Amino acid sequence: MSALQIKKGSSKHSAYNLRPTFSDVQETHTLAVLVENEPGVLARVIGLFSGRGYNIDSLTVAEVDHKGHLSRITIVTTGTPQVIEQIKAQLGRIVSVHEVHDLTVEGGSVERELALLKVAGKGDNRVEALRLADVFRAQVVDSTLESFIFQLTGTPEKVDAFADLMRPLGLIEVARTGVAALSRGT
């Protein structure tokens, strides 16, 4: 009879879970919250985050059902898995909240953000800004002799990359809408 070659804590089939159940890994999650469209609901949701010291990386709110008086709040936040679970549970306890979905764990989702970027420049910088805008499929929505305003739609990472490339070319100002997201499929 041979000895078992099981490493301590390495088997999912072990009678004892020897691994810690907590994690220090910070994860970014996109939460979609369907709420009643009434005064004070957004303040209660935001108060949950600020009262517990949680950070909101992106916040988008819009009415999605006029007849049903429902709004959708899309929140991008960062925290440990335990903090994310706590946030979802506490959001679900708010009376005006109908649904809480974690789009990050529920499968694939599509995330987009709209950004307006004002870039000032002359000569070669101006030509280079237009060339990069074409590569990123950004549209020129305003143009003067001294500056452009570009409109760009894409993932937050795409917007960040475009802004990083525009900085040395004369980026003056950025306005971003925040993330809008939907889960894929049915």
Side-chain angles (χ1 to χ4, degrees):
M1 196 155 123
S2 64
L4 293 174
Q5 300 295 323
I6 298 175
K7 294 179 184 173
K8 189 175 184 179
S10 67
S11 173
K12 289 196 277 186
H13 306 291
S14 173
Y16 303 99
N17 184 2
L18 301 174
R19 295 185 181 154
T21 57
F22 57 89
S23 174
D24 290 336
V25 177
Q26 295 285 314
E27 300 175 349
T28 299
H29 285 251
T30 303
L31 306 176
V33 185
L34 194 63
V35 300
E36 292 178 22
N37 188 12
E38 60 184 29
V41 173
L42 181 60
R44 285 194 294 277
V45 170
I46 301 311
L48 182 148
F49 281 81
S50 64
R52 289 160 182 83
Y54 304 147
N55 190 39
I56 295 175
D57 299 326
S58 174
L59 175 71
T60 307
V61 184
E63 185 177 52
V64 293
D65 183 359
H66 186 68
K67 290 180 183 177
H69 302 290
L70 296 176
S71 290
R72 180 185 177 103
I73 303 173
T74 305
I75 303 167
V76 178
T77 188
T78 304
T80 64
Q82 295 76 21
V83 167
I84 300 296
E85 287 303 316
Q86 186 178 26
I87 289 170
K88 292 189 299 189
Q90 290 171 349
L91 281 170
R93 287 189 204 114
I94 297 174
V95 174
S96 303
V97 172
H98 290 260
E99 298 175 12
V100 178
H101 296 281
D102 187 344
L103 299 178
T104 305
V105 299
E106 291 181 5
S109 65
V110 177
E111 296 184 0
R112 292 294 181 265
E113 185 173 11
L114 171 72
L116 297 174
L117 300 96
K118 185 186 292 186
V119 179
K122 294 185 179 185
D124 290 342
N125 283 355
R126 194 170 170 86
V127 172
E128 182 65 9
L130 285 171
R131 188 187 69 74
L132 287 171
D134 187 48
V135 169
F136 277 82
R137 296 184 180 146
Q139 300 168 340
V140 177
V141 293
D142 185 60
S143 178
T144 68
L145 295 175
E146 294 84 31
S147 68
F148 291 112
I149 296 179
F150 295 107
Q151 174 183 300
L152 177 67
T153 305
T155 64
E157 294 79 15
K158 179 180 178 180
V159 174
D160 289 340
F162 186 68
D164 288 344
L165 290 172
M166 288 295 151
R167 273 189 187 83
L169 300 177
L171 181 65
I172 298 172
E173 192 174 355
V174 179
R176 297 172 77 152
T177 59
V179 173
L182 288 176
S183 59
R184 297 187 70 198
T186 54

